[in-house]
């Protein structure tokens, strides 16, 4: 018997980094997915498509083993399973590829063992792998990948689903540079140590911006939401999360007519999240490609993790 699960990746709309320090953040599930198949085996084995089973991939897959161990210990089943991972999410690009993987692993495993887990439980198990990779992660990534749609998230509180009629279109542009979330979290945390008063003020304002951004999103006021994104990028740049390439990309997107743009996720490279003007997305993607940037559009909301027996 085999169980499958698919989890979406994510984009943080506002509040990344500050969420690690207790602020509210707004995040959306994004339509690119990680698929995981789980089946009974002689011993625990983890395979990831596109990676050879050498030492480095063993190290890479160790966080997945942590999720398997945690869930099997707590739910009392044997962890002798084969986990097969196929990802359509670029790694190290701020789109939560590791969170989507961990969520899909927890979900597929529960399905294989005949257990129905609430999405908050799936996120809790997935967090064992996220912490192993990123160190001090807030938990927003695993929560949005598990829940889907759009959420307001604050550490220690139940994620709040943001609901609205219809759908909204965004553009995700790859800067082409991979980076480590852990390094970026450490860099921004040093700003907190250096300027505690200033950082506290910025974290408060990130919460306020996230509330405001959620309202703009619900009302479909994309122009105003865009302004909030561009402002958020400037703040993230101030605390060390941006790079000259990301700043240039944000400027380019604004010059090409987007309502707003910002880095998304940890920054330091990775992706930029932008709001295209109505009817301009296809031309924008072509223009970006001619300048060497890969991009794709995503419709929000999209569903969270789902699992089935196959
Ligand atoms: O770049 P990603 O996809 O790993 O997102 C990290 C988001 C942070 O706010 C920087 C960290 C976190 O755990 O919230």
């Amino acid at each position: 018997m085999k169980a499958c699960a698919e989890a979406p990746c994510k984009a943080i709309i506002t509040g990344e980094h500050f969420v690690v320090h207790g602020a509210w953040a707004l995040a959306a599930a994004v339509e690119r997915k990680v698929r995981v198949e789980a089946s009974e085996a002689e011993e625990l084995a983890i395979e990831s498509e596109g990676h050879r089973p050498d030492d480095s991939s063993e190290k890479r897959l160790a966080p997945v083993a942590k999720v398997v161990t945690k869930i099997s210990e707590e739910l009392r089943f044997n962890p002798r399973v084969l986990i097969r991972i196929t990802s359509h999410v670029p790694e190290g690009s701020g789109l939560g590829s590791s969170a989507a993987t961990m969520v899909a692993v927890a979900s597929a495993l529960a399905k294989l063992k005949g257990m129905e887990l609430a999405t908050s439980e799936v996120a809790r198990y997935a967090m064992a792998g996220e912490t192993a990779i990123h160190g001090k992660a807030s938990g927003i990534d695993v929560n949005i990948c598990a829940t889907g749609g759009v959420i307001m998230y604050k550490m220690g509180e139940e994620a709040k689903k943001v609901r609205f009629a219809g759908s909204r279109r965004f553009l995700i542009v790859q800067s082409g540079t991979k980076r480590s979330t852990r390094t970026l979290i450490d860099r921004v945390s040093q700003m907190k140590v250096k300027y505690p008063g200033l950082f506290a003020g910025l974290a408060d304002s990130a919460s306020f911006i996230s509330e405001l951004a959620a309202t703009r999103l619900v009302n479909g006021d994309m122009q105003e939401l865009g302004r909030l994104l561009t402002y958020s990028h400037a703040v993230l740049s101030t605390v060390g999360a941006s790079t000259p390439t990301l700043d240039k990309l944000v400027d380019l997107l604004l010059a090409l007519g987007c309502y707003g743009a910002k880095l998304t996720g940890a920054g330091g490279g990775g992706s930029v999240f932008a709001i295209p003007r109505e009817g301009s997305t296809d031309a924008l993607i072509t223009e970006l490609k001619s300048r060497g940037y890969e991009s794709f559009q995503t419709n929000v909301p999209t569903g969270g993790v789902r699992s089935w027996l196959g």
Side-chain angles (χ1 to χ4, degrees), residues 12 24 34 65-66 68 72 110 113-114 148 184 218 243 262-263 272 299:
I12 298 183
W24 283 98
V34 174
K66 283 214 185 301
V68 177
S72 61
K113 300 294 179 178
L184 268 300
V218 169
T243 63
K262 65 178 272 291
L263 69 85
V272 165
N299 290 313

Side-chain angles (χ1 to χ4, degrees), residues 10 12 16-17 19-20 94-96 137-138 140-141 179 181 185 265-266:
K10 60 87 213 187
I12 298 183
E16 55 270 89
H17 283 292
V19 68
V20 177
L95 300 178
S138 67
I140 189 169
D141 287 12
R179 79 294 171 285
T181 298
I185 290 178

Side-chain angles (χ1 to χ4, degrees), residues 13-300:
I13 302 176
T14 53
E16 55 270 89
H17 283 292
F18 297 107
V19 68
V20 177
H21 304 278
W24 283 98
L26 182 67
V30 166
E31 290 155 323
R32 300 250 161 141
K33 294 194 169 124
V34 174
R35 180 190 169 98
V36 166
E37 288 177 11
S39 51
E40 303 291 351
E42 302 271 292
E43 57 178 9
L44 172 59
I46 301 161
E47 293 174 4
S48 178
E49 194 172 273
H51 294 276
R52 283 181 303 123
D54 56 14
D55 284 348
S56 64
S57 84
E58 217 164 84
K59 199 167 147 215
R60 237 172 43 82
L61 297 173
V64 175
K66 283 214 185 301
V67 176
V68 177
T69 305
K70 184 165 177 72
I71 191 167
S72 61
E73 278 176 5
E74 282 194 22
L75 300 180
R76 295 172 193 280
F77 57 75
N78 83 61
R80 293 193 294 276
V81 286
L82 168 62
I83 302 282
R84 278 211 176 100
I85 303 163
T86 311
S87 177
H88 301 285
V89 183
E91 275 180 41
S93 63
L95 300 178
S97 71
S98 62
T101 303
M102 304 307 156
V103 163
V105 166
S107 183
L109 208 47
K111 193 68 172 183
L112 182 70
K113 300 294 179 178
M115 291 165 190
E116 290 300 327
L117 297 182
T119 50
S120 58
E121 280 297 279
V122 170
R124 190 172 67 78
Y125 288 120
M127 198 60 192
E130 273 291 270
T131 312
I133 301 171
H134 300 316
K136 199 185 170 213
S138 67
I140 189 169
D141 287 12
V142 289
N143 273 280
I144 185 62
C145 294
T147 311
V150 177
I151 59 166
M152 279 288 282
Y153 180 86
K154 181 181 161 84
M155 274 195 306
E157 305 223 2
E158 187 100 343
K160 288 196 263 180
K161 200 119 190 190
V162 177
R163 295 176 202 280
F164 49 92
S167 74
R168 316 277 182 259
R169 178 171 294 179
F170 295 96
L171 188 69
I172 292 178
V173 190
Q174 321 264 268
S175 72
T177 314
K178 288 189 184 181
R179 79 294 171 285
S180 139
T181 298
R182 184 188 279 265
T183 310
L184 268 300
I185 290 178
D186 288 349
R187 185 189 298 169
V188 173
S189 297
Q190 280 164 23
M191 291 296 287
K192 185 183 179 185
V193 175
K194 206 166 168 192
Y195 304 107
L198 172 63
F199 197 92
L202 292 176
D204 278 350
S205 104
S207 288
F208 181 72
I209 295 284
S210 295
E211 280 289 348
L212 211 51
T215 307
R216 301 291 184 241
L217 182 68
V218 169
N219 294 340
D221 190 347
M222 304 311 271
Q223 204 162 342
E224 280 303 315
L225 179 58
R227 288 207 180 97
L228 296 176
L229 296 195
T230 308
Y231 168 82
S232 300
H233 180 79
V235 176
L236 286 164
S237 195
T238 307
V239 296
S242 192
T243 63
T245 306
L246 289 174
D247 292 346
K248 211 176 90 191
L249 193 46
V250 166
D251 287 347
L252 172 64
L253 287 159
L254 296 176
L256 292 173
C258 286
Y259 287 139
K262 65 178 272 291
L263 69 85
T264 184
S271 305
V272 165
F273 184 74
I275 306 182
R277 271 170 203 269
E278 296 76 15
S280 75
T281 315
D282 290 346
L284 209 49
I285 290 173
T286 308
E287 176 65 30
L288 288 165
K289 189 149 183 87
S290 77
R291 292 170 187 252
Y293 294 111
E294 288 301 323
S295 61
F296 65 93
Q297 66 171 56
T298 186
N299 290 313
V300 168

